[in-house]
Amino acid sequence: MNRSAVLRLLTLVLMLATPLVTLAEPLQVAMILWRGNTAAEVGFKQTLKEQGYQVEYHNFDAQQSRDRLAGLLREQLLPALSNYDYIYCFGTTATQMTQQLVRGRVPLLFNAVTDPIAAGILPPGQASANIAGVSNSVPLADQFRLLKRTLAVKRVGVLFNPNEKNSVIVLERLERIGKTQGFEVIPLRTPANDKVLFQQIRRFHQHSPSIDALYLPMDSYLLSRAEQIGQLLLAEKIPALAAHQDYIRHGALLGLVPDYREMGARAASILTQHRQGTDFNAMGSMQVKNPRVLINQQTLERMDLKFPEVNSGNFQAVQ
């Protein structure tokens, strides 16, 4: 065997003995956050990790400020837009602002958007330019049927921020449901101001005719005050129906609430479907599956209320 043939043989042996390793470039995902990381982002990242994706996350945290978010989007996101494979947005406000600037140039995944159609994020046909995601909406009618299993309600107060699109949407829906279920809706105007917030809750409960219950909607500012709101509700003995588990853990009576980790996992599934060839524009909005009934047992006992036994895996009592 000549020298050339020997060299070719040795090269072949070395190639067979050396494992072939393909280093895929990690996905670059911009995370547009409204109030820091939530359980939704935990579920999103964990699901992608379990599915074998390598991902580099780039956080843009608005800290509940439109002005701060606008600056981050203009000064940091847009100049580097071509670097990102996907943009993840939490909440209606963050999604609206990001969508207006990005204009479909990068696939946008939204999460925790109550009504993407009413908010103008998706058109009525449910498909839009390079945007899809997950709604955190649980039917209000179902939530109030749950409340009525515990007490009769004729007047329901709802915390309402006129500057937030989600608040406007929820109030309009709630007023329609009140007409069909036989209760009056009392809007409690609550801009992001602690003094005004707590004064409103006390005033509407203590003055005649008082509210029978309070509805706590999805709202980032209100959720950031969940502990203080819960303490006030307990002190004033105000039963509250809540749209998020944080309210209930801090003293609200009960709620039919979405699982934010599951919502994150569903957002991750949209990314996976897209990577596997599904048209991103056709996916639209995914809805919450299997919302959980949460009841604060201590609040139930303190307010001397009773709740019928629930034979469901989605029922959970919290202390």
Side-chain angles (χ1 to χ4, degrees):
M1 183 180 295
N2 61 33
R3 183 179 178 183
S4 177
V6 171
L7 288 175
R8 286 198 300 270
L9 180 60
L10 287 173
T11 301
L12 179 61
V13 170
L14 287 172
M15 289 178 62
L16 292 174
T18 304
L20 293 175
V21 178
T22 302
L23 295 176
E25 289 291 326
L27 291 176
Q28 304 295 321
V29 178
M31 304 290 289
I32 312 301
L33 310 175
W34 183 247
R35 51 183 173 92
N37 283 290
T38 71
E41 287 71 57
V42 173
F44 178 70
K45 293 177 181 179
Q46 184 63 36
T47 301
L48 290 181
K49 182 178 180 180
E50 290 171 355
Q51 293 177 348
Y53 288 101
Q54 295 183 59
V55 186
E56 290 184 3
Y57 298 100
H58 306 265
N59 288 348
F60 300 84
D61 187 358
Q63 298 177 16
Q64 301 187 56
S65 167
R66 288 174 178 267
D67 291 340
R68 176 179 168 81
L69 179 56
L72 289 172
L73 294 177
R74 287 195 306 266
E75 298 166 15
Q76 297 184 32
L77 180 73
L78 284 184
L81 195 59
S82 61
N83 296 337
Y84 302 116
D85 298 296
Y86 296 91
I87 298 174
Y88 170 103
C89 292
F90 179 92
T92 300
T93 300
T95 302
Q96 287 174 323
M97 293 177 66
T98 304
Q99 183 185 30
Q100 289 168 6
L101 288 175
V102 173
R103 297 182 180 180
R105 286 173 284 179
V106 177
L108 193 155
L109 280 163
F110 63 78
N111 206 347
V113 171
T114 300
D115 190 332
I117 295 176
I121 292 166
L122 291 177
Q126 284 274 305
S128 186
N130 239 6
I131 182 168
V134 182
S135 168
N136 60 355
S137 178
V138 174
L140 276 170
D142 292 346
Q143 295 181 53
F144 275 87
R145 278 192 282 270
L146 174 70
L147 177 65
K148 286 185 170 185
R149 296 182 66 183
T150 303
L151 72 161
V153 290
K154 292 297 182 183
R155 287 170 55 89
V156 176
V158 56
L159 299 181
F160 165 65
N161 183 348
N163 298 318
E164 290 293 336
K165 183 67 174 179
N166 270 354
S167 284
V168 176
I169 293 170
V170 169
L171 179 60
E172 291 173 350
R173 286 182 175 179
L174 194 51
E175 287 174 337
R176 290 195 295 269
I177 290 167
K179 290 177 181 177
T180 61
Q181 293 196 13
F183 59 83
E184 181 184 2
V185 176
I186 313 297
L188 313 182
R189 294 175 67 88
T190 51
N193 180 295
D194 289 1
K195 183 177 180 181
V196 174
L197 169 65
F198 301 132
Q199 283 179 342
Q200 284 285 62
I201 294 174
R202 287 192 181 94
R203 183 165 64 88
F204 275 83
H205 181 58
Q206 294 174 351
H207 290 72
S208 180
S210 65
I211 57 175
D212 301 308
L214 183 67
Y215 181 67
L216 301 173
M218 295 283 189
D219 181 284
S220 291
Y221 162 67
L222 295 175
L223 282 168
S224 71
R225 302 297 188 271
E227 184 173 0
Q228 297 96 313
I229 292 172
Q231 291 172 352
L232 177 59
L233 296 176
L234 287 172
E236 299 286 336
K237 292 192 174 182
I238 304 173
L241 173 65
H244 192 281
Q245 64 183 19
D246 287 358
Y247 295 125
I248 302 164
R249 297 192 189 284
H250 288 296
L253 178 61
L254 80 174
L256 185 63
V257 302
D259 185 328
Y260 270 56
R261 275 183 178 261
E262 183 208 342
M263 286 164 48
R266 301 204 81 198
S269 75
I270 293 174
L271 186 152
T272 296
Q273 290 177 58
H274 181 247
R275 303 299 293 179
Q276 293 173 347
T278 303
D279 184 358
F280 201 89
N281 296 341
M283 286 188 270
S285 175
M286 289 188 175
Q287 302 301 308
V288 170
K289 287 185 175 180
N290 303 318
R292 298 174 297 164
V293 176
L294 294 185
I295 296 179
N296 189 306
Q297 195 68 38
Q298 291 183 351
T299 302
L300 192 72
E301 294 170 1
R302 184 165 179 174
M303 296 187 183
D304 197 25
L305 296 170
K306 305 211 179 283
F307 188 84
E309 191 65 32
V310 177
N311 297 316
S312 166
N314 287 332
F315 170 74
Q316 182 181 350
V318 297
Q319 299 298 322

